[in-house]
Each structure stands twice: as structure tokens, then as C-alpha cells.
Amino acid sequence: MSRPTLALIGATGAVGTVMRDIVSTRDDVWGEIRLVASPRSAGKVLRVRGEDVVVRALAPEVFDGVDIAIFDVPDEVSAEWVPIAAQRGAVVIDKSGTFRMDPDVPLVVPEVNPGDARDRPRNIISTPNCTTLSMMAAMGALHAEYGLRELVVASYQAVSGSGVAGSARLYDEIEALAGDRSIGQTAGDVRKALANKLPDESPFPAPVAFNVVPWAGSYKDGGWASEELKLRNESRKILGIPDLKVSATCVRVPVITTHSLAVHARFEREITVADAHRVLEAAPTVVLMDDPANGVFPTPADVVGTDPTYVGRVRQAVDFPNTLDLFVCGDNLRKGAALNAAEIAELVATEF
């Protein structure tokens, strides 16, 4: 039996770089791997599976003979090119937000709803936003046994969620402010110091260094940020709970990579900390780090560059029945992006 051909679209970006590493280090189920990017990147030579591969320009014919295509491109590029790839016979796994809420496109997290990947009327499978993915393996495991009913979430999101430009901006801000111990003690002094040293253009509406920014995404009705509504809508679809009550506040923090979430979760049935520990310890892609008396809990610095979802600070909510509070960390470029797409692709590859 021949191995399926895989195409990586957006292979030169931040997530595309991680994707190349992931497909090079996981079990090799692929035949040919094609690397595809915008015309300006065409002709570059990149390594994948220990081989040099020439990047191809995005064009209809690049999908000829492709069995599975993973897209990591902006929404507007996905809207144009994903249907073309699907029409030419590829099963498309799309990372953008374009198709996530389409009723004919499954939104898949393999640990939670792998069966949904088989039901794809448009030949498209969508993968969730990195913030949703950072908690979904843990919440899916708990929901399966205790029935999730409500979520209140505060996210602490790394700057790489805004791509290469986000990471570059934080590094530039840190470099511009380094060594000045007077910074951060007067209102507006961080902005003023940066204005004298860096261009105004930034992926963020406020400085991230020496700061946190209570905004991620674009403005939506009612004062909501798009990241907050994504977390609500995507959680409902993935878990199959259309009436799940969700409220989120998304905050950008001065961390390069790895999102963190403080989660307040109410369940249908009584649940204890011991119950949660048992479920989470049994979940194959979750790592429990929960011994706060001895300083054991997950932080981005401990998690970055790894694949699991890490959970700690699991507590019984004092004033809320059937409710737990917990803290979750996940690398937003790996499980939050590239790894989930790769895992879906591997599921689909078993069909060939």
C-alpha cells in the first residue's frame, strides 16, 4: 500500500517551521512531502525528514496528486485556496478561522472528538484556535466523565500567537528597555521609552514588555475580542455542547511561546480534586503537575517546546458546587497549532 502525499502550505512561517520539525520527528507515515508557500518564498530550500526540499509557489497544480494538505495561512488565503485544494482531491486540514464554525466542516481535537474527522462533506477539517487547544485535552477528558456545563476562563497568551512579528516585537521592546531600572515606575514611562527607540508599528495595541495587554484579536460587538468569542464557540462545537456557558478574558503577556489559562469549570456531577487527578493522570497527552505546597505547577518556561497539555493548581471551588479551578499551560505553536494538525493528518492517513 502506497503512503499518502502530504502538502504543507505556509511551510516557511512560524507554525510551518514547527510543522516541519513535527513531521520529521514523529512516526513517518508519509510518502512525498511538498512544501508550499507564497511566490516570494518559492525556490527556498528547507529541511524536512532530513532531506532538502524546494519550496513551491501556491498554485492550483501544486495539489495534483496530494492526498492531505495542511494549511497554515491567513484567513483570506484559506478562503480562496482551501476549496481549490479540496476540489482537486486533497483532504484539507485548515488552521485558519475561516471554516471553524461551518456546519459542514468538523472542528477536531484528536483526543476529544477523533470520529468527527471522518465526517467531512466539504473534504475540509478545521483545527481550533491555539487558545482553545491549550485547554481542550484536559477539559475534554474531564467532560467525558463529569459533564461540563460552564467555563470561565482567563488566558495569558504568548506573543508568538501573533506570529513572527509578535515575537520580534517583544524581543525589540526588551532590548530597548534593558538596563534602565527606572522604567515601570511612572505612568506612561514604558510607552515614552519605546517611542524614542522603536517604530510605532506593533502587532499589539500597547507595550507588552513590563506590561500585560487585556486584548487579543479583533474588536467584536459588545466589546468582545475575537479570541474570546473563538474560545466560546469552538469549545461548544468540539465538545458537542451547544449550550455550554462560556465567558473568557484574553490577555497578552510578555512570554514568547506557550499560552496559559486559569479555568473555572462547573460540571453536572459532583467532582473532587482526587477525581480530577485520576482523570487527568489517565489522559495520554496531559501531564499533571499539581503539588503547590512544594512549588510544583506548570509555567510557560517549563512547558515551551513540549507537546502535552500541562495542568496544575487544581482546587475545589469554595463557593461553587461541582466546580474546579485549575491552571493549564500548552505550547501554542506545537499542540496549539502544528501538532494538532499533524495528529489529524495522521488520523486521515490511516484511510489511504
Side-chain angles (χ1 to χ4, degrees):
M1 189 170 81
S2 62
R3 292 183 173 190
T5 294
L6 174 69
L8 304 180
I9 294 72
T12 59
V15 175
T17 301
V18 176
M19 180 65 72
R20 287 188 281 113
D21 174 66
I22 285 174
V23 300
S24 298
T25 54
R26 289 174 66 83
D27 290 345
D28 188 7
V29 301
W30 306 112
E32 179 189 357
I33 296 180
R34 298 181 189 176
L35 304 182
V36 183
S38 65
R40 69 177 178 274
S41 295
K44 288 184 177 179
V45 177
L46 300 175
R47 298 283 286 179
V48 62
R49 292 189 302 185
E51 303 172 358
D52 289 334
V53 178
V54 178
V55 177
R56 305 188 189 194
L58 184 57
E61 58 271 17
V62 84
F63 299 106
D64 291 345
V66 169
D67 298 300
I68 301 170
I70 299 176
F71 274 71
D72 181 59
V73 295
D75 287 7
E76 62 274 14
V77 179
S78 278
E80 178 181 359
W81 285 97
V82 163
I84 293 172
Q87 289 162 8
R88 294 178 88 94
V91 178
V92 178
I93 299 160
D94 182 49
K95 283 201 67 294
S96 80
T98 306
F99 301 98
R100 287 177 186 150
M101 304 315 297
D102 185 322
D104 289 328
V105 175
L107 184 62
V108 174
V109 179
E111 297 96 324
V112 181
N113 60 338
D116 290 1
R118 301 186 193 96
D119 182 16
R120 43 179 195 266
R122 300 186 60 183
N123 224 24
I124 301 168
I125 301 169
S126 195
T127 184
N129 176 265
C130 54
T131 313
T132 306
L133 273 168
S134 295
M135 69 171 183
M136 196 47 60
M139 301 316 302
L142 293 169
H143 167 63
E145 193 154 339
Y146 291 96
L148 185 64
R149 296 309 305 151
E150 296 180 8
L151 279 174
V152 180
V153 180
S155 71
Y156 308 93
Q157 296 183 212
V159 294
S160 58
S162 291
V164 173
S167 299
R169 180 68 187 193
L170 178 55
Y171 281 125
D172 288 344
E173 289 184 3
I174 292 171
E175 185 176 351
L177 299 175
D180 188 345
R181 297 197 176 191
S182 69
I183 293 293
Q185 301 184 52
T186 304
D189 62 357
V190 172
R191 288 183 185 271
K192 291 176 183 176
L194 293 177
N196 292 331
K197 297 182 179 182
L198 296 178
D200 292 337
E201 295 78 15
S202 170
F204 312 112
V208 182
F210 286 57
N211 203 19
V212 298
V213 183
W215 191 260
S218 56
Y219 183 88
K220 300 297 180 183
D221 289 346
W224 292 98
S226 58
E227 291 273 314
E228 295 158 351
L229 297 180
K230 287 176 188 177
L231 195 151
R232 173 181 181 266
N233 297 331
E234 292 170 14
S235 295
R236 289 176 158 194
K237 185 172 181 179
I238 296 161
L239 295 169
I241 316 173
D243 61 346
L244 180 66
K245 295 180 180 179
V246 183
S247 187
T249 300
C250 292
V251 182
R252 196 72 69 180
V253 297
V255 170
I256 295 296
T257 299
T258 294
H259 289 350
S260 304
L261 297 90
V263 180
H264 178 87
R266 184 178 73 82
F267 297 87
E268 291 178 357
R269 294 177 285 282
E270 182 178 353
I271 183 171
T272 66
V273 171
D275 293 330
H277 279 189
R278 172 181 54 81
V279 171
L280 295 170
E281 285 174 337
T285 61
V286 174
V287 174
L288 185 66
M289 297 179 63
D290 195 23
D291 185 9
N294 291 300
V296 177
F297 36 71
T299 73
D302 303 313
V303 168
V304 63
T306 66
D307 291 339
T309 298
Y310 293 76
V311 183
R313 297 296 321 282
V314 183
R315 292 151 285 151
Q316 194 98 43
V318 177
D319 297 316
F320 302 90
N322 302 347
T323 302
L324 295 178
D325 289 287
L326 48 98
F327 192 74
V328 183
C329 290
D331 186 311
N332 55 292
L333 297 183
R334 293 188 72 86
K335 181 54 183 176
L339 179 61
N340 196 70
E343 289 171 335
I344 297 170
E346 290 166 3
L347 276 178
V348 177
T350 63
E351 302 175 13
F352 290 87

